[in-house]
Amino acid sequence: MIPYGRQDITQADIDAVVAVLKSDYLTQGPATPRFEDAVASYCGAPHSVAVNSATSALHIACLALELGPGDLLWTSPNSFVASANCALYCGAQVDFVDIDPKTYNMDVEALKEKLYVAERTGTVPKVLVPVHFAGQSCDMSEIRGLAQRYGFAIIEDASHAIGGRYRDEPIGSCRYSDVTVFSFHPVKIVTAGEGGVALCRDPQLAERMRRFRSHGITRDPAAFQQCAGGAWYYEQQDLGFNYRMTDIQAALGYSQMARLDQFVTRRNQLASAYDLALDHLPLTLPWCGPKCLSSFHLYVVQINESASGVTRDQVFHNLREAGVGVNVHYIPIHTQPYYRRLGFDLGICPQAERYATQALTIPLFPEMTAEQQETVTSRLGDALS
Ligand SMILES: *Cc1c(COP(=O)(O)O)cnc(C)c1O
């Protein structure tokens, strides 16, 4: 089976992990801040907090922004469930803004309309989580303008998008947001085995995220609320978690960061090759906006049944049978049984729901060979003819 995504591990990556195993620190020693600094300096954001997953990063970002019961978080339905679950972890409520049928990202016009209504009904969100789907940035300068007008905070879920750019700056600069979150799961652009990073510009926000990462504990005497004891003394000031990244993970992530630009270049080459090879087929191909460089975490095509005479489900089945590991990103979050039980109805995000019946993710990963890519395009052509 040609997988839809796959990590790229070199001997240098392996050596970096082995070196940690032979060192004094397995968890949060020197490798973790080194990795944090590498991600921060690549993206041009001053503060960086590494954790054990992007899910944890979203959670501590929400906590640090003081999202809690009675508050609302809005996100895109076309995402992994973690983009919404982070609100529920904090006791807040979630709602969804429909997607733009061209970029599959949160639709800024739909957001404007929803905010206009929300202002009148007292339901403006405290936090907005735009998701840079497949590696292409949302229109962050527009969203930033709305945040200033309506007074909400922004967490960019850039789990797909490290190495991508928006308006000539790296995604993760936090120029348009309070926090940006990356995932280092093996199918993503850069891997740490598992892992996440939250970037931000506000030092106090970074400090709060660091506390939530480690049980709500601080060891900084300047921050103590009670009288310090001896050198053993620490204070738990919030209810935090154990979301720490290990040095084993951080060493792998750090070693991989050196190849980030290569990964993104290769992914863009493969995407361009798909654009050419699939142009004549009855498919909707990815559309990239002029202000964006996508990291191409995913290459998604849409199968238009009326043009091709076959359904997405038939194409999906044929390709899997032919050894091509296609996938679907995403089942709209609000249509999941758990979210249906919370009261979300079908039909509330019609663009995301229609897209989800037509979308097909085809394989794309840096080590994909020209031969594998030809197999994918010819099998896809067969399935559509
Ligand atoms: C993968 C992913 C996450 C969760 O990342 P983990 O590191 O697996 O927790 C969150 N949001 C999006 C959009 C993702 O693709």
Side-chain angles (χ1 to χ4, degrees):
M1 182 81 78
I2 302 171
Y4 88 85
R6 192 179 194 285
Q7 69 276 14
D8 174 319
I9 302 291
T10 60
Q11 190 58 44
D13 294 338
I14 294 166
D15 292 345
V17 171
V18 171
V20 170
L21 291 172
K22 292 178 176 169
S23 76
D24 292 337
Y25 295 96
L26 296 187
T27 191
Q28 238 178 267
T32 300
R34 196 181 306 136
F35 175 55
E36 288 174 331
D37 290 348
V39 176
S41 70
Y42 183 92
C43 296
H47 303 286
S48 176
V49 182
V51 286
N52 57 0
S53 71
T55 304
S56 302
L58 288 165
H59 186 190
I60 59 169
C62 288
L63 289 170
L65 290 166
E66 297 176 323
L67 186 76
D71 295 328
L72 265 162
L73 175 150
W74 290 0
T75 189
S76 168
N78 185 34
S79 186
F80 185 57
V81 293
S83 308
N85 288 345
C86 56
L88 307 181
Y89 296 156
C90 300
Q93 282 180 303
V94 69
D95 204 357
F96 300 95
V97 183
D98 207 357
I99 62 166
D100 173 347
K102 236 165 130 177
T103 60
Y104 319 142
N105 277 333
M106 181 182 283
D107 181 359
V108 173
E109 289 310 312
L111 175 61
K112 277 184 192 162
E113 283 167 30
K114 200 172 166 74
L115 285 166
Y116 180 84
V117 174
E119 190 171 49
R120 273 143 196 84
T121 54
T123 54
V124 171
K126 185 164 190 173
V127 174
L128 185 80
V129 179
V131 180
H132 303 319
F133 180 78
Q136 172 165 233
S137 179
C138 296
D139 197 343
M140 291 311 300
S141 87
E142 285 275 326
I143 292 174
R144 184 57 165 180
L146 292 168
Q148 282 161 347
R149 157 84 176 73
Y150 288 93
F152 55 82
I154 301 172
I155 303 171
E156 296 175 66
D157 184 344
S159 293
H160 297 185
I162 196 167
R165 298 176 72 84
Y166 172 72
R167 289 186 178 233
D168 293 327
E169 272 189 298
I171 291 176
S173 73
C174 299
R175 181 172 301 288
Y176 308 96
S177 64
D178 297 276
V179 181
T180 302
V181 165
F182 294 124
S183 171
F184 298 90
H185 181 281
V187 296
K188 308 289 163 77
I189 309 286
V190 166
T191 191
E194 290 273 8
V197 164
L199 297 177
C200 68
R201 293 192 168 209
D202 174 353
Q204 287 172 345
L205 197 55
E207 207 38 60
R208 286 202 292 278
M209 291 198 288
R210 271 194 201 102
R211 264 208 318 275
F212 284 117
R213 163 173 72 182
S214 207
H215 308 279
I217 285 174
T218 182
R219 292 175 186 278
D220 173 10
F224 288 159
Q225 295 170 358
Q226 296 175 7
C227 212
W232 69 86
Y233 187 77
Y234 60 84
E235 282 187 357
Q236 184 192 342
Q237 299 179 338
D238 293 298
L239 185 60
F241 301 84
N242 179 354
Y243 281 168
R244 289 187 299 269
M245 175 176 271
T246 67
D247 261 27
I248 304 167
Q249 293 165 299
L252 177 55
Y254 179 81
S255 176
Q256 290 245 311
M257 281 299 290
R259 303 208 302 293
L260 173 52
D261 286 338
Q262 259 170 266
F263 290 154
V264 172
T265 301
R266 178 68 186 143
R267 286 176 173 278
N268 272 274
Q269 283 168 351
L270 291 163
S272 300
Y274 270 144
D275 288 345
L276 278 177
L278 302 175
D279 188 46
H280 66 289
L281 294 175
L283 294 169
T284 305
L285 301 181
W287 182 86
C288 285
K291 293 174 236 160
C292 296
L293 171 75
S294 176
S295 59
F296 268 104
H297 165 53
L298 303 172
Y299 191 94
V300 175
V301 299
Q302 283 195 81
I303 288 133
N304 182 334
E305 192 187 342
S306 58
S308 63
V310 283
T311 64
R312 188 277 313 276
D313 294 5
Q314 286 167 328
V315 176
F316 180 95
H317 181 75
N318 284 344
L319 286 170
R320 280 277 178 104
E321 289 283 293
V324 177
V326 285
N327 218 316
V328 173
H329 298 92
Y330 284 98
I331 304 161
I333 300 173
H334 65 282
T335 70
Q336 294 286 354
Y338 180 81
Y339 280 89
R340 294 299 307 281
R341 286 203 298 277
L342 292 180
F344 291 99
D345 289 326
L346 299 182
I348 60 167
C349 293
Q351 295 294 352
E353 291 171 39
R354 180 179 318 113
Y355 159 86
T357 65
Q358 303 185 159
L360 187 73
T361 304
I362 62 176
L364 179 67
F365 50 93
E367 285 188 305
M368 188 176 203
T369 62
E371 195 188 355
Q372 285 176 314
Q373 199 170 27
E374 262 178 52
T375 304
V376 175
T377 53
S378 70
R379 293 293 111 80
L380 185 53
D382 295 346
L384 290 166
S385 63

